[in-house]
Amino acid sequence: MCTPKSFEQTPASDAAVSPGTAPDLDLVLASQSPARASVLNASGIRFRTIVSGVDEDAALAAAEAERGDPLSPEQTALVLARAKAEAVAALPETRGSFVLGCDSVFEFEGEPYGKPHEPDVAFSRIRRMSGSTGILHTGHWLVDRSETEQAGHESSGAGRIRSAEVTFDVMSDEEITAYVATGEPLEVAGSFTIEGYGAAFIAGIRGESHTVLGLSVNALKDLLEERGRHIAELWRPNT
């Protein structure tokens, strides 16, 4: 794992919580994804960001070696989400906080599609996906460094997988070339987004839309409830 790369704090003006909720619940997002930050901001969630810098290939290789079998797309998403959360949770500046790691993997015809990085890879994948349906899996891992650790116990974690079907419109080679040229699909799971240029080619989504954006707020709510906390403790005031 690499040393976490950056540290950001949401504005202090957003630090208040709803009446009757605990004022000290702190959420750290272990991701540099603008889409995930946008989901939390749009949902009224207070959080700060610390990028994990995890070596994803090493984390996956270690997980496969431990299991003795290749990882499924769902397992891949959860392994990477856990690796990111645990890397950031190991930092002293997250003591007393909840740390959320997320990762997304697109499954198409049984194959996992991560970030293509290269234009020719993105073009080939999108051409295959044109007019078809795939599944976007998003893994969530929440590490609790709050009350449990303060009581002298080790931090604990739990995970959730959320999945949604994505159907693509039929795309011409010219459209695919133009989309790849924007650079948008190169660093996102599955070589597409639904909040940018790629929105023009999404014919339908079956499932929770936030899952396709890389972070399910409903999953976060469930994970917090397992620790006896409530999502409302993270809400910004409605001003």
Side-chain angles (χ1 to χ4, degrees), residues 147-190:
E147 296 174 355
T148 301
E149 188 171 271
Q150 291 171 11
H153 302 289
E154 292 185 359
S155 57
S156 58
R160 284 284 192 285
I161 286 284
R162 294 294 172 86
S163 302
E165 293 183 357
V166 181
T167 299
F168 301 93
D169 201 356
V170 175
M171 302 171 63
S172 68
D173 283 357
E174 290 77 14
E175 288 174 322
I176 298 172
T177 298
Y179 181 43
V180 172
T182 68
E184 180 181 271
L186 301 184
E187 300 300 326
V188 290

Side-chain angles (χ1 to χ4, degrees), residues 68-151:
D69 292 303
L71 299 172
S72 68
E74 298 99 316
Q75 290 170 331
T76 297
L78 194 60
V79 164
L80 292 178
R82 180 173 185 173
K84 293 174 183 180
E86 291 182 343
V88 172
L91 300 174
E93 56 262 46
T94 62
R95 181 175 176 83
S97 304
F98 282 86
V99 180
L100 177 66
C102 300
D103 195 84
S104 297
V105 176
F106 187 67
E107 180 181 358
F108 184 73
E109 296 180 345
E111 295 183 29
Y113 281 2
K115 300 172 184 177
H117 302 301
E118 299 297 332
D120 58 337
V121 176
F123 181 92
S124 176
R125 289 182 178 180
I126 296 170
R127 197 180 199 187
R128 288 183 62 194
M129 289 152 44
S130 173
S132 300
T133 298
I135 305 172
L136 196 290
H137 304 287
T138 293
H140 307 74
W141 194 270
L142 189 70
V143 177
D144 179 5
R145 291 200 65 193
S146 62
E147 296 174 355
T148 301
E149 188 171 271
Q150 291 171 11

